[in-house]
Amino acid sequence: MRLRLLTTMAAALGLGASGAMAADLLDEIKDRGELSCGTMDYLAGVGFLDDNGNWSGFDVDFCKAASAAIFGTPDKVTFVALTGTQMFPSLSSGEIDILSRSVTETISRDTTLGFTFIGPNMLTGQGLMVHKSTGATDYDQMDGATICVLAGTVTERYLADYFTANGMTFTPVAAESGDQLFSMYFDNRCDAVTMEPPYLAIRRQKMAATPEDHVIFNDVIAKSYEAPLIREGSPRFHKLLQWMHYGMVTAEELGVTSENVDDMAARSTDPRVQRLLGVDGNIGESMGVSNDWMVNVIKAVGNYGEFYDRNLGANSPLQVPRGLNALVRDGGALTAPGWQ
């Protein structure tokens, strides 16, 4: 009886797994021949569409990497420009496969919206930029200030929580979009503006007549983990994207770059490199893609350090320090599980 029960359970589990695999979004994307990515089109370094129709930026490159992982080339992706209010409905309706638009991961978004976060690929926090003329250099000097903030976002809630917890008050000046938010700030309609420090630095460089007249506080009032996300119910697609990110981090740890990846695949005797690049084992094939999928990803967008520095960091006009996004060995918080 026990054996028959176990056999029945195994059969049921087998059918369930088979059904889940048949319905997985990864198969649908492969059959379609391209994936659809929702992002922004106006913020250089993050998500940007130029006059010649070329997409670039940190969030854009995540989807190019996903295309390389699935199809072997980064150009099998259609980008959809989304506003903040469009992004969740577009993902929920199936208009896009991946939402890669600097979305902050929170427990409520992860557990109530029917979405699955890939895992943070940018570690940052909520900061404040103030007009230097205010003389303020830290948060305890902001009691009674007017602060520009995006309406209906987690940054608005975190800001209110911080001031309440510290016995201070502020007057919010609400904006409906990022462009409006910073236009209001640079038009002196508020003393300060709140957002993640990398985006404050981007806007300061792009919009301020004199960037030195604006001060970004060193500390943050709340941590912010930003991550791409997909709809729930496609575990193999989720695992592929999750391990693609881990693979880019692992590549940086092992010194594998877009320049040397072919040579490393051909010549490295390091078993960790051989597993990462598909020389040893069949990790890629077991996930539904080619065994050299990480070679294709790294050739397309680089390891995580190249990926970050090209769009935001040392090799970009923005020069945003890596901070927490540096590897653990370099004083940051970025690491990845073992590639075994």
Side-chain angles (χ1 to χ4, degrees), residues 52-91:
N52 296 318
N54 299 311
W55 289 86
S56 63
F58 186 92
D59 290 344
V60 167
D61 273 0
F62 182 86
C63 291
K64 290 182 179 179
S67 172
I70 298 168
F71 300 111
T73 174
D75 57 3
K76 296 289 186 181
V77 50
T78 297
F79 291 100
V80 180
L82 300 172
T83 66
T85 56
Q86 292 172 328
M87 60 184 186
F88 289 152
S90 294
L91 182 62

Side-chain angles (χ1 to χ4, degrees), residues 159-187:
L159 188 67
D161 289 349
Y162 179 85
F163 274 76
T164 299
N166 287 279
M168 300 190 298
T169 62
F170 75 103
T171 300
V173 181
E176 298 298 326
S177 69
D179 285 342
Q180 184 187 26
L181 175 74
F182 284 95
S183 293
M184 290 164 56
Y185 168 75
F186 287 113
D187 286 343

Side-chain angles (χ1 to χ4, degrees), residues 233-253:
S234 296
R236 290 193 295 126
F237 188 43
H238 174 256
K239 291 296 183 188
L240 181 76
L241 298 179
Q242 182 184 52
W243 280 95
M244 182 186 80
H245 167 68
Y246 290 149
M248 293 166 66
V249 175
T250 302
E252 183 177 12
E253 292 174 339

Side-chain angles (χ1 to χ4, degrees), residues 259-278:
E259 296 295 323
N260 69 18
V261 61
D262 283 331
D263 186 62
M264 294 284 272
R267 302 177 187 277
S268 177
T269 58
D270 186 332
R272 300 169 301 172
V273 172
Q274 292 180 334
R275 284 193 294 270
L276 173 69
L277 302 183

Side-chain angles (χ1 to χ4, degrees), residues 84 87 104 106 109 126 149-160 175-177 181 194-196:
M87 60 184 186
T104 301
T106 67
R109 285 175 171 174
Q126 183 174 341
V149 60
L150 272 176
T153 64
V154 293
T155 58
E156 184 179 36
R157 293 194 291 273
Y158 285 151
L159 188 67
E176 298 298 326
S177 69
L181 175 74
T194 185
M195 193 172 272
E196 291 84 353

